[in-house]
């Protein structure tokens, strides 16, 4: 995200807080609740100008989010309870469900103590390939490359392409451009390999980055042993499912459920689509999740949960808790639903 776009979002959120518009909207709208997305929860936060800074929040911010939701009389519930309320909506108080993607070790070290202090349930979405080293956090490696280099060369299909990283703005532009190229021009099953090879040239070990960041199975078992934490599936290898043939996409989901059941002793009932935006998961993927009998599947399409989502339980939206917006004045608007309704042109559903 560019610095200019980040500033614009912050100004808009601040304006909603200072005018009270977010609180007024929350009183008028009829949503059932919200599902919030987190990734990393670190005490030492990266420079917010680095490419993946939006994925990291401080444990104090997580605490602030839960505290504000409680003050606004929003009930913290598990994904199982959220599913029950969406399927059969009645006159419940508004709810919030916390979700954590990928299985970062800092979720155990820094997020779980906050959850336990509040008695707040959460769902941890796990991709077994990340745990076992057959898949990688390629975006983390790419972000580290962009952050440390002034320039680098990528061997594209039409010859070498040089990326200029001589300023923070150009680093972000280079990261965004290379990610777009990889998704558009490199087969999905080769992206992680191509990024690992590129990073190796600049002495960056993507496999080590992944191993250092992701929990082991024993650590995952320790976290899900908490009565507050539910394990969910996140596919085997964290692929863009929409870029895979249908049977391969189905296997990515199905096999992840089998491995999680074998490792944790319980078949997961909830799924998170990797990346989760429109071009990564759509109608085909929603149908696959339903056919595989998942109770819910979540995207990263922004939005609140409405009664109408009862007919679309494998296409649920989530609100991302952006690491670039961690001031207290941003939390109210982010959790009010107003920004997402504006972004969705006032539509409640985005399930196509």
């Amino acid at each position: 995200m560019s610095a200019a776009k980040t500033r614009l979002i912050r100004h808009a959120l601040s304006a909603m807080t200072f005018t009270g518009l977010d609180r007024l909207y929350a009183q008028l709208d009829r949503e059932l609740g919200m599902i919030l997305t987190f990734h990393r929860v670190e005490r030492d936060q990266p420079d917010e100008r680095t490419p993946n800074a939006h994925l990291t929040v401080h444990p104090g911010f997580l605490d602030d989010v839960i505290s504000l939701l409680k003050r606004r009389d929003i009930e913290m519930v598990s994904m199982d309870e959220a599913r029950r309320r969406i399927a059969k909506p009645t006159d419940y108080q508004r709810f919030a469900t916390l979700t954590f993607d990928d299985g970062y070790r800092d979720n155990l070290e820094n997020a779980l103590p906050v959850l336990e202090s509040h008695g707040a349930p959460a769902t941890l979405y796990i991709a077994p390939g990340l745990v076992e080293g057959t898949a990688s956090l390629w975006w983390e490696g790419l972000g580290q490359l962009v952050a440390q280099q002034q320039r680098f060369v990528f061997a594209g299909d039409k010859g070498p392409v040089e990326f200029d990283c001589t300023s923070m703005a150009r680093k972000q532009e280079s990261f965004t451009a290379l990610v777009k190229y990889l998704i558009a021009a490199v087969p999905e099953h080769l992206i992680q390999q191509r990024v690992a090879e590129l990073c190796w040239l600049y002495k960056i070990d993507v496999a080590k980055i992944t191993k250092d960041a992701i929990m082991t199975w024993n650590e995952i078992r320790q976290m899900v042993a908490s009565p507050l934490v539910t394990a969910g599936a996140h596919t085997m290898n964290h692929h863009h499912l929409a870029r895979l043939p249908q049977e391969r996409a189905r296997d990515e989901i199905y096999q992840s459920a089998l491995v999680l059941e074998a490792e944790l002793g319980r078949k997961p009932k909830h799924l998170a689509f990797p990346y989760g935006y429109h071009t990564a998961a759509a109608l085909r993927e929603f149908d696959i999740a339903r056919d595989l009998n998942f109770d819910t599947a979540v995207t990263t399409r922004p939005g609140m949960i409405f009664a109408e989502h009862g007919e679309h339980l494998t296409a649920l939206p989530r609100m991302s808790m952006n690491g670039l917006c961690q001031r207290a004045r941003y939390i109210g608007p982010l959790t009010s639903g107003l920004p997402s309704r504006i972004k969705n042109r006032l539509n409640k559903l985005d399930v196509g």
Side-chain angles (χ1 to χ4, degrees):
M1 184 183 296
S2 69
K5 186 175 181 180
T6 298
R7 286 195 298 271
L8 179 62
I9 291 172
R10 287 172 172 169
H11 289 327
L13 295 175
S14 295
M16 291 179 191
T17 295
F18 295 140
T19 61
L21 186 60
D22 64 313
R23 294 186 294 277
L24 176 62
Y25 175 80
Q27 293 173 1
L28 296 176
D29 207 11
R30 301 290 296 174
E31 80 273 3
L32 300 177
M34 69 195 80
I35 304 171
L36 304 183
T37 310
F38 296 88
H39 288 83
R40 309 201 69 163
V41 183
E42 295 188 279
R43 295 190 179 279
D44 297 323
Q45 290 193 260
D47 188 318
E48 68 174 30
R49 296 170 296 179
T50 58
N52 294 304
H54 65 289
L55 298 178
T56 300
V57 302
H58 189 273
F61 177 72
L62 174 61
D63 183 81
D64 288 343
V65 170
I66 298 173
S67 298
L68 181 136
L69 293 172
K70 286 183 170 181
R71 289 197 301 273
R72 294 195 173 183
D73 200 29
I74 296 172
E75 187 176 4
M76 312 301 297
V77 304
S78 67
M79 187 60 74
D80 286 337
E81 176 62 16
R83 193 265 183 199
R84 187 172 73 85
R85 295 188 184 194
I86 300 166
K88 294 183 178 180
T90 59
D91 191 23
Y92 296 111
Q93 70 186 89
R94 293 171 70 212
F95 71 81
T97 298
L98 308 179
T99 65
F100 295 81
D101 288 9
D102 302 333
Y104 288 98
R105 181 170 289 110
D106 52 59
N107 292 178
L108 172 64
E109 297 170 343
N110 299 324
L112 184 58
V114 177
L115 299 176
E116 291 178 332
S117 72
H118 286 280
T123 299
L124 178 70
Y125 292 113
I126 303 157
L130 294 177
V131 182
E132 297 172 354
T134 59
S136 70
L137 299 170
W138 62 269
W139 57 94
E140 298 277 4
L142 198 59
Q144 187 170 320
L145 170 65
V146 168
Q148 76 177 37
Q149 295 297 318
Q150 293 294 300
R151 297 181 184 275
F152 67 90
V153 176
F154 177 75
D157 291 343
K158 297 182 179 179
V161 180
E162 184 178 48
F163 288 90
D164 183 351
C165 301
T166 54
S167 69
M168 294 310 304
R170 287 177 177 173
K171 286 180 186 293
Q172 186 63 60
E173 290 168 2
S174 293
F175 180 85
T176 300
L178 186 49
V179 169
K180 286 183 177 179
Y181 173 82
L182 289 166
I183 293 173
V186 177
E188 179 61 27
H189 68 285
L190 294 178
I191 287 179
Q192 297 185 27
Q193 176 185 332
R194 293 289 298 276
V195 172
E197 291 170 350
L198 171 64
C199 289
W200 178 82
L201 293 174
Y202 295 91
K203 304 187 185 310
I204 296 171
D205 187 341
V206 180
K208 185 177 186 304
I209 289 172
T210 304
K211 183 178 180 180
D212 290 346
I214 297 295
M215 285 184 276
T216 64
W217 284 118
N218 282 337
E219 288 170 323
I220 292 169
R221 280 188 280 269
Q222 180 183 344
M223 185 162 181
V224 301
S226 167
L228 294 171
V229 180
T230 300
H234 201 31
T235 75
M236 275 299 297
N237 296 295
H238 205 282
H239 286 313
H240 289 70
L241 293 177
R243 301 188 70 223
L244 299 176
Q246 181 163 338
E247 283 305 308
R248 176 73 184 279
R250 185 183 187 280
D251 285 346
E252 275 285 315
I253 299 173
Y254 178 67
Q255 294 295 331
S256 70
L258 291 181
V259 173
L260 288 170
E261 183 176 14
E263 291 288 347
L264 305 179
R266 171 180 280 186
K267 183 178 180 181
K269 298 186 290 184
H270 307 286
L271 169 72
F273 298 111
Y275 311 104
Y277 42 73
H278 290 78
T279 56
L283 288 174
R284 188 193 71 172
E285 289 69 43
F286 303 158
D287 289 344
I288 291 173
R290 186 185 61 249
D291 291 345
L292 290 174
N293 296 315
F294 281 91
D295 284 354
T296 69
V298 295
T299 68
T300 59
R301 301 183 187 193
M304 304 295 274
I305 303 297
F306 295 91
E308 290 84 349
H309 283 105
E311 300 297 322
H312 305 279
L313 288 167
T314 57
L316 298 177
R318 290 190 288 176
M319 303 297 299
S320 177
M321 293 294 98
N322 193 322
L324 299 177
C325 298
Q326 294 192 63
R327 299 286 181 86
R329 63 178 177 268
Y330 304 141
I331 301 173
L334 284 171
T335 58
S336 71
L338 181 55
S340 64
R341 286 297 295 276
I342 294 172
K343 182 177 179 64
N344 294 334
R345 300 179 181 178
L346 303 183
N347 293 317
K348 293 181 178 179
L349 297 181
D350 181 12
V351 296

